[in-house]
DNA sequence: ACAGTTTTGACAACCGTTTTCATTTTCCTT
DNA sequence: AAGGAAAATGAAAACGGTTGTCAAAACTGT
């Protein structure tokens, strides 16, 4: 797997915010690329397995993807209006998750933390 | 809306962990209740609107529900093995979310924080 | 060039959720 | 109690995102 995986990754790297599979598919097609929706899904899934993209679920249950800017563990601050996304580090949250888990006897911890809000430029309008 | 909403709420209150709509529907039917899947979905949605149940999405995108033990804002510590769930308060996380959002000029903040791990009794085996 | 392997994409199948709509139940006014 | 408006219900169809199928196409090394 390589040709189309790179193409999908490239789209994601050029994107400002999270994108859905269908969304990516549509853009590639209208750019003249001859790619199938299935392949887009496969590429996204492979990229995610390799830790090169983050995936998160919208409240409506759609999976949206974004190329990670940093290789390190991080979280997201997403504008619910325009989709703009900041990657933020959260040492405090990490510690909290570990502590609260230990306190309840839970091991082998992972966590999901997403913050949603209205970004500065969207607040103005 | 009332009869079936209460029934669904009751199922949830008796449950130890998060339950899916289909799951609840199956249990109610095999208990002899004459209820439709649609009504279960409507009940869950109403209960969630009223803040009486929490909903979260599994990694597979299925919505799972649980009656809130506390009326206050809280988060979840979920055993990925057996589904056991603890409700945990996180003043530190709340502060962190507010701070990180303000720092980036985001307003009108909400956040989702879920911690997954293996609970004490599941670790033993 | 050849055979073997991997990748691809049109299409169908899937699964959870929502919509539709006709029927039933509940509630309110006589 | 009777009648009628309003809300609730459920079977079935529609929907939307995702995954599976399978034959064709693109690579791989020899
Ligand atoms: Mn990221
Ligand atoms: Mn809860
Ligand atoms: Zn914005
Ligand atoms: Zn457990």
């Amino acid at each position: 797997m390589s040709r189309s995986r790179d193409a999908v990754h490239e789209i994601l790297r050029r994107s400002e915010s999270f994108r859905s599979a269908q969304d990516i598919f549509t853009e590639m097609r209208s750019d003249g690329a001859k790619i199938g929706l299935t392949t887009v899904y496969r590429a996204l899934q492979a990229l995610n397995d390799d830790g090169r993209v983050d995936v998160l679920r919208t409240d409506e249950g759609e999976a949206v993807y974004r190329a990670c800017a940093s290789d390190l563990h991080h979280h997201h601050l997403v504008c619910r209006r325009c989709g703009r996304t900041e990657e933020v580090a959260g040492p405090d949250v990490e510690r909290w998750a570990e502590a609260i888990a230990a306190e309840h006897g839970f091991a082998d911890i992972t966590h999901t933390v997403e913050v949603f809000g209205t970004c500065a430029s969207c607040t103005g309008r």
Side-chain angles (χ1 to χ4, degrees), chain A:
Chain A
M1 194 178 306
S2 202
R3 183 58 25 85
S4 53
R5 183 173 66 176
D6 288 347
V8 169
H9 197 195
E10 182 58 26
I11 294 273
L12 245 22
R13 264 185 270 112
R14 275 202 273 266
S15 300
E16 297 277 312
S17 54
F18 280 85
R19 311 283 302 271
S20 71
Q22 312 245 117
D23 186 15
I24 294 166
F25 170 68
T26 302
E27 174 175 335
M28 294 181 81
R29 272 301 178 90
S30 64
D31 283 2
K34 283 181 274 308
I35 193 170
L37 178 57
T38 313
T39 303
V40 173
Y41 273 109
R42 281 193 283 238
L44 288 169
Q45 168 175 311
L47 288 166
N48 183 52
D49 288 348
D50 295 353
R52 285 209 267 268
V53 308
D54 293 321
V55 53
L56 71 88
R57 294 258 173 194
T58 65
D59 285 344
E60 293 80 40
E62 188 177 23
V64 287
Y65 306 81
R66 182 168 193 251
C68 291
S70 85
D71 294 338
L72 298 77
H73 176 73
H74 58 267
H75 299 291
H76 300 111
L77 178 56
V78 184
C79 176
R80 69 168 69 83
R81 190 87 65 97
C82 71
R84 193 158 76 86
T85 304
E86 309 281 348
E87 300 199 341
V88 296
D92 297 347
V93 183
E94 314 305 325
R95 272 193 297 275
W96 174 80
E98 288 295 335
I100 207 80
E103 205 173 292
H104 288 80
F106 278 57
D108 194 15
I109 294 304
T110 60
H111 59 268
T112 67
V113 175
E114 307 294 339
V115 185
F116 299 89
T118 311
C119 79
S121 62
C122 282
T123 301
R125 303 159 202 164

